[in-house]
Amino acid sequence: MDTVFPTDYELHLFHEGTLFEAYKLFGSHLLQSEEGVQTRFCVWAPNAAEVRIAGDFNNWNGEAHPLQKVNQEGVWFTVIQMNLEGQLYKYEIVTKEGKVLLKSDPYAFFSELRPRTASIVYGLDEYEWNDVKWLQKREKSHSLAKPMVIYEVHLGTWKKKNGKYLSYQELAAELIPYIKEHGFTHLEILPLVEHPLDISWGYQGTGYFSATSRYGSPKDLMYFIDQCHQHEIGVILDWVPGHFCKDAHGLYAFDGDNVYEYETEADRENPVWGTANFNLAKNEVQSFLISNAIFWLEKYHIDGFRVDAVSNIIYWPNRQSTEENPFGTAFLRKLNEQVTLYDPSVLMIAEDSTDWPQVTAPVHYGGLGFSYKWNMGWMNDVLSYMETHAADRKHEHGKMTFSLMYAFSENFILPFSHDEVVHGKKSLLDKMPGNYWQKFAQMRLLLAFMFAHPGKKLLFMGFELGMFSEWKDQDQLDWHLLKYDMHKKMNGYVKELIKLYKRSKQLYEVEQRHEGFEWIDADNKEQSIFSFIRRGDDPEEFYVVVCNFTDRSYADYQIGVPYEGEYREIFNSDLEVFGGTNQINKKLLRSMEIPFHGKQWCIQMTIPPFGASILRHVKKRKGRKGNGKEKLRSHAVSRGTGKQA
């Protein structure tokens, strides 16, 4: 049972910035006593002259239910001798100037459906979880040596029903089987904190402890996450600890003064986003935010966080030079330390576009302590290269190789996120230059290059449909496209590519060390062909990857290989079943003892237009030929789309 009155120790920890379960003290809580169920309220409003509770139960007149100020630092508290479960309420805060503000509870567990903004008294402890096997498995596993393909989703626009959002229950029935069918390992959900504006996608929050009511109740969300875990899908929550919404009912100027936000305007305001920056120098704000992370882990069994806009925390906003915000970096270290202490298997992922060093190094080694960092440099370079016409790519060649200069400096995730396919940036498919066929071929090539490149993978919903339209952020995905041949083939291609990746230790076991990657030829800019080797823990188990970024094809293209023997093509993006021209390597490729590309041996192979080929060295064993289960499917004669050289 929760304690009735705040203890001196709890208050000390809160003001010290170390009350990491502050949600157990603050907010509204139902307490069982001999007299029955009581409802306790506790809030931090350091500059308030008075604080009262107004709600349905008192006709929104708070004068009958004042809170008592329990310390000089501004914690207010009361117990109402009623069971107020399900009741609407707000804090009625009287400022020093005598102005009355109606504020939602910063620690509320549930809120009214927008556009209404009241908090709801709600208990979270009745749901019975059935994911113990998943949590035990997560605790024992190490994600760095595992395949990871993250499907980033905005729940409101993945699919709709009669123009309305699917509920958490409906999403469990439809989204989870879809993720399983395609082979994604994780689901990353755009922010689920309560927020007033749909088109903010949750990035401008007001209720950090309140799962948005757009899709159902908190217990419905628990059911959805529970079902994900029972189907072996990890759930990552997009989380925004840097800035918050300025709507009148929210955290901004909470008691008439700057409580949660920086006091100086330059540090506080985000003109572009229309938000306010959290004052990370305040101990109480640190208690609020870190306890919020622990809350989502404890109450919702979240598997990790994608931490939004880390650069806006590392550096002071609105300053011309990149000047470190020491309060921001100290907060990030403290956050990651506490999450690691709670559960080392939780993923902490930094959305960071800066060159700040050691983002994914442990705090005790001087790092920020994240598990992974989005590789924004790779994403920007690769998309810029792909949007260049094929004939001109030789002038942009370095954009495809530069990432390997720093690929092992951090634990990276390669992201093609929602930010890349919205607000006029075009969909991934439509970014590809050329005609209809060439767009699909280059999209397949891009995805193959991504999956062969070191780093975990993240892709935003809709890419697997081959959508020509960018994310419209209010309408559902273009599901009708699956009626058309090339889109259906693209969808099949994605499934096969993920299947190959997940069964290929060469593509994920050694992603953080140089030993896992070796260039064969990084310098062929005239033909825009890249070839490299990927290895797993066993250095003799390797893949040869060849990617051709032009529309020319080659019948006898020569590349160096590290060992003599035979090589089998196990994957080719140009297969007819994927929509390609079927210029593939059906037969085993025998090495020749001719030094090439710095190797003692070489092979000659077919290179398809805008195609990616993956080869595996065939090791002879007694009593059998070859050792791979992979078989390249051959199909009908090429349609002759590419140019033969």
Side-chain angles (χ1 to χ4, degrees):
M1 171 180 165
D2 295 294
T3 57
V4 175
F5 197 84
T7 66
D8 290 340
Y9 184 60
E10 286 176 314
L11 295 172
H12 169 75
L13 293 179
F14 176 67
H15 297 302
E16 186 184 60
T18 57
L19 186 61
F20 301 131
E21 292 182 327
Y23 56 89
K24 293 184 177 179
L25 171 62
F26 293 93
S28 60
H29 294 270
L30 300 169
L31 304 178
Q32 184 71 45
S33 68
E34 293 180 359
E35 292 77 22
V37 177
Q38 307 168 326
T39 308
R40 187 189 71 187
F41 295 90
C42 190
V43 66
W44 178 53
N47 305 296
E50 294 181 62
V51 179
R52 307 185 285 251
I53 289 287
D56 283 345
F57 52 91
N58 59 17
N59 296 316
W60 292 92
N61 183 351
E63 292 185 359
H65 294 103
L67 275 72
Q68 172 190 353
K69 189 175 182 179
V70 300
N71 65 3
Q72 292 301 313
E73 291 81 10
V75 173
W76 300 76
F77 169 87
T78 191
V79 174
I80 298 177
Q81 301 298 324
M82 290 189 284
N83 182 350
L84 298 179
E85 185 172 14
Q87 294 285 308
L88 304 178
Y89 73 98
K90 284 187 178 181
Y91 291 112
E92 201 172 75
I93 297 178
V94 182
T95 70
K96 289 179 293 188
E97 293 77 22
K99 185 178 179 180
V100 179
L101 307 175
L102 274 177
K103 290 286 188 176
S104 300
D105 189 343
Y107 288 87
F109 294 157
F110 196 29
S111 303
E112 276 189 295
L113 180 63
R114 54 87 179 92
R116 297 180 180 274
T117 57
S119 301
I120 301 175
V121 178
Y122 192 93
L124 295 177
D125 297 328
E126 295 178 4
Y127 182 81
E128 293 186 12
W129 289 85
N130 296 286
D131 62 348
V132 62
K133 289 183 179 179
W134 166 265
L135 295 176
Q136 290 173 345
K137 179 181 177 182
R138 188 186 80 184
E139 184 180 353
K140 296 175 183 178
S141 66
H142 199 297
S143 68
L144 289 175
K146 300 288 184 181
M148 186 184 296
V149 194
I150 304 168
Y151 190 57
E152 187 189 33
V153 170
H154 177 248
L155 294 184
T157 53
W158 178 72
K159 186 180 287 187
K160 290 190 172 184
K161 186 176 182 180
N162 300 321
K164 296 182 179 180
Y165 294 152
L166 296 184
S167 68
Y168 292 123
Q169 298 272 349
E170 290 169 326
L171 286 162
E174 295 196 40
L175 178 55
I176 291 174
Y178 185 83
I179 291 173
K180 288 284 288 183
E181 177 189 353
H182 286 76
F184 298 104
T185 62
H186 291 74
L187 168 67
E188 180 174 305
I189 308 173
L190 268 60
L192 288 179
V193 299
E194 195 55 85
H195 54 284
L197 189 64
D198 289 353
I199 60 173
S200 79
W201 317 329
Y203 288 96
Q204 298 183 12
T206 51
Y208 273 66
F209 292 82
S210 179
T212 180
S213 53
R214 284 166 173 79
Y215 317 116
S217 71
K219 291 186 177 68
D220 291 333
L221 175 56
M222 292 175 183
Y223 170 80
F224 173 76
I225 295 170
D226 199 0
Q227 287 296 307
C228 284
H229 288 170
Q230 291 180 50
H231 289 86
E232 299 191 320
I233 300 166
V235 180
I236 299 166
L237 183 64
D238 207 332
W239 188 58
V240 190
H243 60 103
F244 59 89
C245 182
K246 292 171 61 176
D247 282 38
H249 67 281
L251 298 174
Y252 191 71
F254 186 72
D255 58 10
D257 213 330
N258 303 124
V259 177
Y260 288 91
E261 63 272 20
Y262 287 111
E263 295 176 3
T264 57
E265 182 179 353
D267 299 329
R268 178 177 66 244
E269 301 297 329
N270 276 314
V272 175
W273 298 330
T275 56
N277 294 310
F278 277 109
N279 185 346
L280 299 175
K282 279 190 178 180
N283 291 338
E284 295 87 352
V285 172
Q286 294 176 26
S287 287
F288 174 81
L289 288 171
I290 295 175
S291 69
N292 184 243
I294 302 301
F295 166 81
W296 285 101
L297 299 173
E298 175 72 22
K299 297 298 184 181
Y300 287 95
H301 294 200
I302 291 292
D303 300 289
F305 298 95
R306 178 264 196 188
V307 181
D308 179 66
V310 167
S311 62
N312 199 54
I313 298 175
I314 291 176
Y315 297 109
W316 285 107
N318 307 320
R319 302 193 185 184
Q320 291 184 349
S321 60
T322 52
E323 181 182 344
E324 179 190 351
N325 177 351
F327 306 114
T329 51
F331 164 74
L332 291 174
R333 292 187 176 101
K334 188 175 181 180
L335 164 71
N336 287 324
E337 278 185 318
Q338 292 307 314
V339 169
T340 300
L341 284 172
Y342 179 86
D343 187 341
S345 69
V346 171
L347 304 175
M348 296 298 290
I349 302 167
E351 189 253 331
D352 176 29
S353 57
T354 74
D355 58 357
W356 187 272
Q358 293 188 289
V359 172
T360 57
V363 172
H364 56 270
Y365 288 138
L368 291 183
F370 284 96
S371 314
Y372 294 96
K373 171 180 174 172
W374 276 19
N375 195 335
M376 309 289 277
W378 175 88
M379 177 272 295
N380 285 315
D381 284 346
V382 168
L383 290 184
S384 174
Y385 180 87
M386 295 303 300
E387 289 180 277
T388 302
H389 192 277
D392 298 320
R393 284 176 177 161
K394 60 185 177 183
H395 306 301
E396 307 291 330
H397 192 81
K399 289 183 176 178
M400 297 295 274
T401 59
F402 182 66
S403 61
L404 273 304
M405 301 292 288
Y406 61 85
F408 313 106
S409 63
E410 303 277 7
N411 302 328
F412 280 119
I413 290 176
L414 309 181
F416 288 144
S417 74
H418 65 278
D419 277 330
E420 282 69 70
V421 293
V422 73
H423 295 331
K425 296 178 184 176
K426 300 194 290 189
S427 69
L428 277 186
L429 179 67
D430 204 27
K431 289 179 191 289
M432 306 297 110
N435 60 34
Y436 182 82
W437 183 89
Q438 291 172 334
K439 283 181 178 290
F440 279 94
Q442 290 174 91
M443 175 76 165
R444 295 193 302 272
L445 170 61
L446 169 64
L447 294 175
F449 180 77
M450 176 192 198
F451 275 73
H453 190 287
K456 309 304 182 187
K457 327 299 175 188
L458 178 140
L459 293 124
F460 185 57
M461 63 181 195
F463 85 97
E464 73 281 9
L465 307 180
M467 287 178 55
F468 275 103
S469 63
E470 64 178 22
W471 179 40
K472 297 178 281 293
D473 84 5
Q474 294 189 62
D475 299 328
Q476 69 171 0
L477 300 181
D478 295 339
W479 294 104
H480 65 279
L481 293 176
L482 291 178
K483 298 177 182 178
Y484 300 94
D485 186 54
M486 286 298 282
H487 297 274
K488 188 175 181 179
K489 288 180 175 179
M490 173 61 74
N491 193 248
Y493 175 78
V494 169
K495 295 175 186 177
E496 289 299 319
L497 182 60
I498 293 176
K499 188 182 298 182
L500 170 74
Y501 167 70
K502 289 171 67 177
R503 71 169 181 248
S504 301
K505 294 181 178 181
Q506 297 90 332
L507 296 180
Y508 61 78
E509 266 191 346
V510 188
E511 292 189 303
Q512 298 79 34
R513 305 196 307 273
H514 290 274
E515 294 85 350
F517 182 94
E518 178 186 350
W519 282 113
I520 295 175
D521 185 5
D523 303 317
N524 187 357
K525 64 180 181 180
E526 290 302 319
Q527 293 174 299
S528 297
I529 296 177
F530 303 83
S531 52
F532 53 89
I533 293 169
R534 289 299 313 276
R535 289 187 174 89
D537 284 331
D538 183 351
E540 294 188 3
E541 288 285 343
F542 64 92
Y543 284 168
V544 173
V545 182
V546 185
C547 297
N548 173 21
F549 287 89
T550 73
D551 59 355
R552 296 177 65 86
S553 61
Y554 304 86
D556 296 301
Y557 188 84
Q558 190 164 301
I559 63 167
V561 291
Y563 297 112
E564 69 171 328
E566 294 174 330
Y567 289 77
R568 173 185 290 119
E569 184 172 76
I570 61 169
F571 191 84
N572 192 314
S573 67
D574 194 52
L575 278 170
E576 186 179 46
V577 70
F578 300 147
T581 64
N582 225 43
Q583 297 184 51
I584 60 178
N585 296 277
K586 296 181 181 180
K587 298 180 180 179
L588 292 176
L589 304 173
R590 180 70 190 177
S591 66
M592 300 173 288
E593 195 168 359
I594 301 174
F596 203 67
H597 288 146
K599 312 294 181 190
Q600 187 175 348
W601 294 275
C602 70
I603 57 174
Q604 288 184 337
M605 61 182 295
T606 295
I607 302 287
F610 292 130
S613 303
I614 299 179
L615 312 176
R616 181 173 184 175
H617 184 231
V618 179
K619 293 189 294 185
K620 297 292 186 182
R621 293 178 183 174
K622 186 176 180 180
R624 61 181 291 187
K625 295 181 180 179
N627 70 328
K629 293 182 179 179
E630 300 92 345
K631 293 183 179 179
L632 184 69
R633 288 176 286 182
S634 59
H635 294 273
V637 179
S638 163
R639 296 187 300 176
T641 311
K643 300 175 183 177
Q644 184 77 18

